[in-house]
Amino acid sequence: MSAHAVRTGVWFIGARGSVATTATAGCAAVTAGLHPAAGMVTETTPFADSGLPALNSLVFGGHDTVDCPLPKRAEALAAGGVLPHGLPPAVRSELATADTEIRPGGPLPGDTRTDEELIAAFTADLTDFGRRNGLARTVVVNVASTEPVPEPGQHRLPASSLYAAAALRAGCPYINFTPSTGLGAPALQDAVAACGLPHAGRDGKTGQTLLRSVLAPMFVQRALPVRAWSGTNLLGGGDGAALADPGAAAAKNAGKERVLADTLGVTPEGEVHIDDVPALGDWKTAWDHIAFDGFLGARMVLQTTWQGCDSALAAPLVLDLARLLARAQEVGLTGPRPELGFYFKDPDGGPAALSEQYLQLLTFAERLRGQK
């Protein structure tokens, strides 16, 4: 059976959020030839004939705790400049179809269900989704808001881990595109080891950290000692509101700082600050100030400014990952997939320069191409 004849599910945790809505609308737009696949690495030449599921074979669904319909959410994103003007009505049918496949998430305030009851309910949603749509497989992708790091001694699993446990139980490959705990909960480690499923994460590398992962190796390779590296993020929308929580911000910043420490070999002075600016909507500005030493101790500074939309940066990567992990399961690959570290701040394979990670990804594509 050809890749075009096989239907593959993409199940978003946070299915009505900006990233998931952009990915769902974007997939429909690219499939219809309305827009090019800018930002999708899997649509470039090295990935041709790798057996990846075709974009027109993807079926979208997910969990969310909000009830704003996807077509309406897409209209709001278009009004904010995230989606092109006129795109939501052009792909309204696809968005409405995906919206019928979104199920209530949890736990909501006042929810009395136990962890086991929640996992069982989420598993049933995944199993039903696959059965009704005749899917060969379903990839679960966490693109929900960042959670605070769990408190020591916390007995309940965080929501991200409840969804991750359901993915394992339903036999679904899992991607954690957020800094949240997901499969990392200690209580899930035996299940993760025994699941026989491919998985990848954690925390998608889209804007400021992407730039850091390119610049930090430059300083190392040119033997330029970095004395300090400070950063500020100004952002609005759902991310801004979520990261206004100090615990969530700490979880997010840990990945940004780890990229520098792992690459430079030391932790430079300076911190990353995240400020919620609601007026920015789904757009963000990230500023970095890098102090470094040149020859004979000459003091120098590099400043960078990144202005963009995380949803538009993340959506093509999420589609890439869903296709790659679906193909990995198809050919029998299991466990953490370090070859996908190119996409993450905290990858399963450990730190590496972005250029090195890209070569690993190309090798992975070649490996998939060689599988029948």
Side-chain angles (χ1 to χ4, degrees):
M1 185 177 291
S2 71
H4 288 274
V6 175
R7 285 159 62 87
T8 298
V10 180
W11 188 266
F12 287 125
I13 309 304
R16 292 189 173 111
S18 297
V19 174
T21 304
T22 303
T24 304
C27 183
V30 173
T31 297
L34 300 177
H35 289 274
M40 287 194 66
V41 180
T42 54
E43 284 294 291
T44 60
T45 301
F47 293 84
D49 302 321
S50 292
L52 304 182
L55 289 175
N56 63 6
S57 75
L58 301 183
V59 181
F60 296 95
H63 282 115
D64 210 315
T65 56
V66 300
D67 56 9
C68 177
L70 277 182
K72 188 174 182 63
R73 184 74 179 95
E75 290 172 4
L77 291 175
V82 178
L83 296 180
H85 177 71
L87 180 60
V91 297
R92 183 178 181 83
S93 175
E94 291 88 343
L95 290 170
T97 297
D99 195 67
T100 65
E101 297 291 354
I102 298 176
R103 299 293 178 263
L108 293 167
D111 197 328
T112 60
R113 288 176 292 178
T114 65
D115 284 357
E116 174 56 33
E117 288 171 333
L118 287 161
I119 293 169
F122 298 157
T123 302
D125 291 336
L126 280 164
T127 302
D128 183 58
F129 175 65
R131 178 186 56 78
R132 285 185 298 96
N133 289 285
L135 305 178
R137 57 192 53 83
T138 297
V139 180
V140 175
V141 188
N142 182 16
V143 287
S145 296
T146 299
E147 296 172 339
V149 176
E151 295 289 338
Q154 181 175 317
H155 299 298
R156 296 290 301 265
L157 286 172
S160 65
S161 296
L162 297 174
Y163 294 120
L168 299 184
R169 195 172 295 184
C172 299
Y174 175 82
I175 296 162
N176 189 3
F177 204 73
T178 81
S180 301
T181 305
L183 290 179
L188 298 184
Q189 294 316 293
D190 289 344
V192 172
C195 71
L197 295 166
H199 52 88
R202 165 172 86 158
D203 198 2
K205 186 162 53 183
T206 55
Q208 183 183 43
T209 309
L210 175 65
L211 192 57
R212 286 180 165 211
S213 69
V214 173
L215 290 175
M218 177 193 74
F219 288 106
V220 173
Q221 293 161 8
R222 294 294 297 269
L224 298 170
V226 174
R227 292 184 290 108
W229 198 317
S230 300
T232 294
N233 280 261
L234 308 177
L235 67 162
D239 272 354
L243 295 174
D245 181 322
K252 186 74 173 176
N253 284 339
K256 294 177 180 290
E257 293 168 354
R258 191 161 46 247
V259 166
L260 296 182
D262 289 342
T263 305
L264 299 175
V266 297
T267 301
E269 294 179 5
E271 297 179 346
V272 179
H273 298 277
I274 298 178
D275 294 329
D276 178 23
V277 184
L280 291 177
D282 286 283
W283 295 81
K284 69 178 293 183
T285 296
W287 171 76
D288 273 24
H289 182 282
I290 309 159
F292 64 99
D293 289 339
F295 190 52
L296 305 180
R299 295 294 181 95
M300 291 183 271
V301 168
L302 172 65
Q303 294 184 356
T304 66
T305 302
W306 178 289
Q307 293 179 306
C309 174
D310 262 359
S311 300
L313 291 165
L317 307 185
V318 164
L319 293 172
D320 279 350
L321 285 163
R323 300 172 81 194
L324 288 163
L325 219 58
R327 176 62 172 154
Q329 186 186 36
E330 181 183 14
V331 301
L333 300 180
T334 63
R337 303 316 314 167
E339 306 95 335
L340 303 183
F342 174 75
Y343 293 97
F344 298 102
K345 295 184 183 75
D346 191 12
D348 292 316
L354 190 70
S355 57
E356 180 182 338
Q357 291 174 331
Y358 180 63
L359 292 177
Q360 292 170 349
L361 182 63
L362 295 183
T363 301
F364 187 54
E366 186 65 33
R367 180 180 181 183
L368 296 177
R369 185 178 298 111
Q371 298 288 333
K372 301 298 183 182

